[in-house]
Each structure stands twice: as C-alpha cells, then as structure tokens.
C-alpha cells in the first residue's frame, strides 16, 4: 500500500484502473513536440516509448483538422492543447470498455486522492457497474446515503438532471460529491418497485466507519449480558466490519479479544454492506482463522504474468469448537468477498444472506505526470479454489433475502437465521 503502485481492491467511492504507461507518456510528449502529420515516423521512435506497429496518422490528421477548423458552439468555451491531451488519454482508457480503468486529469486526480485517503464531502456510498448500469454496492454506515434509505443494488438512473446511461463510475462520483450541506437528487430504480423514484440526499463530510461489536442472546435466550458467575457462554458474539482500512487488522484483533473474553464460541462476522478496501487487511484478518501458508486469494494476470498468491501468515488461534457464520449481501464487495470466499471454501465459516456484489478485479494507481494519474485494472481475484469473484460473486450457503420492508420495520431475518444456525451447530 505504501509503495508507488498502490493496490486498490475497492474504493469505487466512494469511488470505485491501462497498462501502457510509457505509451501515455510518449503520447503526451509527442503531441507537444510534433503536431504535424508528416512527423508521425519520428513519433514512433523507441526513445519516446511509442509502439512501432501502430499508425498514428489518423490521430494527427484529426488533431490538425480540429486545430485548423473547429469553432466552439459557445463563444466563451475554449479547450487548450493540454486539455486535448488529457481527453485523448481518457478516450484511450475508455476504449477498453472497463469501467474501473480511468484516467484522472489534474482536478479529478485531486478529488480521487482525497477520497482514497478517506477525507471528502459526499453522500457516503460506493458504486460499481453491474449489467452496464451504475449500481450502488453499499451505503456506508451512518452516512447521508444510508439515512436517505439508499440500498445495495439500487440502480442510479439520473444524477440531478444528468442521465447516467454510458457514464463511467468516476463521472458519476464527480457529480454526486460536493460541498457539505448541499443536496443531490438521485433517480433510483429498485427491484420490487414498479417505477423509478427520486431521493434527495444532503452531502456531509464522510468518515469511513470500521467496526462494531456486541453480544447477542443465543436462539431461545432472553439476554446475553454477563452474570455474577461469569460471561454469558451461550451468547452469540457479533463483529460488524464496515470497511477494510489500514486500521482494520488491529481493530479486528481487539474485537477477537472481546470475543474470547465473552466466553462464547459462537461468532457472527457481519460483512453486509462492506465495500472492501485494502487487500492486506483481508489477508491479515483471514490469517486468524487459517493455518499458516494457506492461500487466501490469488491474483490472476492472464497472459501478462504468472499468478501471485496471498497466504495466511500466522498460527490460527481457534480450534474446531468455533461456530462461525458470516453475513453477506449484494453490498459485500471486493476485499470483503475475498475474506468471505476464503473462509467459506476452507469450511471455517458458513455464509448466510444473499449473493455478493462480484467486484473481483485488481487496480493499480500509476502516476502519469505529477498531477495526473491512471487507475488500471491489472488482474482479477480468484478464491482459493480458483473461482473468479467477478463472474458470479460469492453465493451464501444459506440464502436469506432481506427486503426494504424488513429494514423499515427493524427486522433482520438474515441475522435471525445466523443466530438460529449457530444454536443448531
């Protein structure tokens, strides 16, 4: 995470990554130095990092025609040559048809940097592209989006008056975020609703939540509080993990200490609405439950290189007496899917809920210039058994839907099923 090539498993946020960086750099240099069509051969010199088998003459022809003939439809609108370069690189990234491969010009780069560092004003939800539609992965806990009733799986049809068809994730994010106290209108299509509806969300400063713990009574019990005789050993300990930040491993370790101190052997890890975060955090947390050296996830680079395996790196601290359920839903994404998928496939935990979002791609952030960057999809995540997370998401062992009506009434059938299942183990 600290090196130059930052691994991003999620943060589609609150955003949500093209190789060929040398190509982009050479492209920029060439545009500045050689604006004539007859200079194309010079542009393909290896010293500029240009491919030898690509004909750039159509690009230069279009460049010169625009410079010579274009008249803006708005008198006050001008585009300088550098903006054209940024637009060309953006088009290059968009040509791949990957919603997560995006170029950030200077202003967008500032926004992205602030968001990935966790400091931004907005509505507090992560989005992805599903079936070519901008889709909510999950609203973050205690954010304007959650308070406005936004749900995982909601499709965003319009942002204010802007139709989202054909819009990239980062374009959508740019429209949604804004100064604290201002409002954005979202037109939502939701499964079970006959027609789209509008939701007005007031922006606020977003603080990414991390973790909560509590002790619940087991099925049939009335209380899980401690007694003079000691901890409530029949209770169910719940760890709700909302994101995978740099602090998540240490916070999770403290939560495990609380779990052990409770005397319970029944654990629920609630990953519903967890949009992911840092890969290292997911591997570290999985390592508490797996013997050392077990594959947690692998990185498949296709034809670009051999796979990379991420393995558990400590002694597992729990024996077979642990009864473990993980709650998942359509808002469980990326690093959260990695953790859930690994513990499910090794038989450590049962999954309850609905199928996860299916964001199993790896992005790296590359600097193009000091104030621009390129977010690049470089690989896909595979579970320990080699299943692609992106293709179908992670399916739960026990499927339990949860409707908007359930949430409105304060009901949680998924949690109820998890508690029931633990009591029967």
């Amino acid at each position: 995470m600290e090196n130059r090539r930052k691994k991003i498993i999620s943060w589609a946020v609150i955003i949500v990554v093209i190789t060929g960086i040398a190509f982009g750099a050479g492209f920029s240099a060439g545009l500045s130095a050689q604006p004539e069509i007859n200079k194309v051969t010079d542009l393909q010199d290896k010293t500029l990092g240009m491919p030898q088998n690509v004909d750039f003459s159509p690009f230069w022809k279009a460049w010169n025609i625009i410079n010579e003939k274009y008249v803006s439809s708005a008198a006050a609108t001008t585009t300088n040559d550098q903006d054209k370069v940024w637009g060309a690189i953006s088009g290059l990234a968009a040509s791949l048809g990957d919603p997560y491969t995006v170029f950030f010009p200077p202003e967008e780069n500032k926004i992205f940097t602030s968001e990935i560092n966790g400091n931004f004003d907005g509505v507090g939800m992560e989005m992805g592209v599903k079936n070519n539609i901008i889709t909510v992965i999950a609203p973050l806990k205690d954010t304007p989006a959650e308070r406005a009733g936004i749900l995982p799986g909601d499709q965003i049809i319009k942002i204010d008056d802007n139709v989202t068809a054909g819009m990239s994730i980062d374009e959508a994010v740019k429209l949604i975020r804004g100064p604290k106290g201002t409002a954005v209108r979202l037109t939502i299509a939701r499964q079970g609703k006959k027609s789209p509806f509008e939701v007005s969300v007031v922006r606020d400063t977003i603080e990414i939540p991390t973790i909560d713990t509590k002790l619940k009574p087991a099925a049939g019990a009335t209380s899980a509080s401690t007694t003079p005789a000691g901890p409530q050993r029949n209770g169910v300990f719940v760890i709700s993990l909302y994101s995978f930040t740099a602090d998540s491993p240490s916070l999770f370790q403290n939560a495990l200490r609380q779990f052990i101190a409770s005397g319970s052997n029944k654990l629920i890890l609630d990953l519903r609405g967890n949009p992911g975060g840092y890969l290292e955090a997911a591997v570290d947390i999985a390592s508490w439950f797996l013997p050392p050296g077990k594959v947690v996830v692998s990185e498949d680079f296709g034809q670009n290189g051999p796979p990379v395996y991420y393995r558990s790196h400590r002694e597992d601290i729990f024996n077979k007496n642990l009864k473990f359920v993980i709650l998942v839903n359509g808002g469980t994404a990326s690093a959260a899917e990695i953790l859930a998928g690994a513990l499910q496939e090794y038989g450590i935990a049962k999954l309850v809920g609905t199928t996860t979002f299916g964001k199993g791609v790896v992005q790296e952030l590359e600097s193009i210039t000091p104030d621009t960057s390129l977010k690049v999809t470089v690989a896909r995540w595979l579970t320990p058994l080699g299943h692609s997370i992106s293709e179908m998401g992670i399916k739960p062992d026990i499927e339990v839907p949860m409707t908007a009506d359930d949430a409105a009434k304060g009901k949680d059938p998924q949690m109820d099923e998890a508690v029931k299942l633990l009591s029967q183990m």
Side-chain angles (χ1 to χ4, degrees), residues 33-49:
Q34 305 283 356
E36 299 297 330
I37 297 175
N38 59 9
K39 300 290 187 178
V40 170
T41 301
D42 296 334
L43 280 173
Q44 292 176 327
D45 189 281
K46 289 184 179 179
T47 59
L48 292 178

Side-chain angles (χ1 to χ4, degrees), residues 243-302:
S243 59
F244 287 80
T245 67
D247 294 331
S248 293
S250 61
L251 294 172
F252 192 82
Q253 182 177 0
N254 290 335
L256 287 182
R257 289 196 184 102
Q258 296 175 39
F259 168 52
I260 294 169
S262 75
S264 174
N265 67 340
K266 303 177 184 68
L267 176 63
I268 293 175
L269 175 57
D270 191 348
L271 295 179
R272 293 175 297 177
N274 185 318
Y278 292 138
L279 168 65
E280 286 83 351
V283 174
D284 190 276
I285 290 172
S287 297
W288 290 111
F289 304 96
L290 298 173
K294 290 292 185 180
V295 173
V296 176
V297 69
S298 64
E299 217 171 354
D300 177 19
F301 294 91

Side-chain angles (χ1 to χ4, degrees), residues 70 77-84:
Y70 173 71
T77 302
T78 59
T79 302
N80 60 37
D81 284 353
Q82 191 61 67
D83 288 335
K84 294 173 190 172

Side-chain angles (χ1 to χ4, degrees), residues 23-88:
F23 173 79
F27 198 57
S28 175
L31 286 176
S32 300
Q34 305 283 356
E36 299 297 330
I37 297 175
N38 59 9
K39 300 290 187 178
V40 170
T41 301
D42 296 334
L43 280 173
Q44 292 176 327
D45 189 281
K46 289 184 179 179
T47 59
L48 292 178
M50 301 296 292
Q52 298 294 299
N53 58 347
V54 179
D55 179 12
F56 283 94
S57 59
F59 174 84
W60 288 118
K61 183 173 182 179
W63 174 274
N64 286 331
I65 289 173
I66 288 172
N67 277 350
E68 294 168 6
K69 296 186 176 182
Y70 173 71
V71 176
S72 173
S73 58
T77 302
T78 59
T79 302
N80 60 37
D81 284 353
Q82 191 61 67
D83 288 335
K84 294 173 190 172
V85 173
W86 302 150

Side-chain angles (χ1 to χ4, degrees), residues 70-138:
Y70 173 71
V71 176
S72 173
S73 58
T77 302
T78 59
T79 302
N80 60 37
D81 284 353
Q82 191 61 67
D83 288 335
K84 294 173 190 172
V85 173
W86 302 150
I89 301 175
S90 296
L92 177 63
S95 72
L96 300 176
D98 173 15
Y100 302 113
T101 294
V102 181
F103 173 70
F104 297 118
E107 189 60 34
E108 286 80 354
N109 192 53
K110 288 180 183 177
I111 293 171
F112 181 78
T113 301
S114 70
E115 286 173 339
I116 201 168
N117 286 333
N119 303 308
F120 59 95
D121 290 345
V123 301
M125 65 184 183
E126 181 167 353
M127 300 178 296
V129 174
K130 200 161 191 174
N131 300 322
N132 297 317
I133 301 172
I134 301 290
T135 303
V136 176
I137 297 176

Side-chain angles (χ1 to χ4, degrees), residues 189-211:
R190 178 178 293 169
Q191 188 174 8
K193 294 280 188 179
K194 292 183 178 180
S195 57
F197 58 94
E198 276 194 3
V199 176
S200 180
V201 189
V202 178
R203 302 175 177 102
D204 201 349
T205 299
I206 304 302
E207 296 181 6
I208 300 173
T210 305
I211 200 166

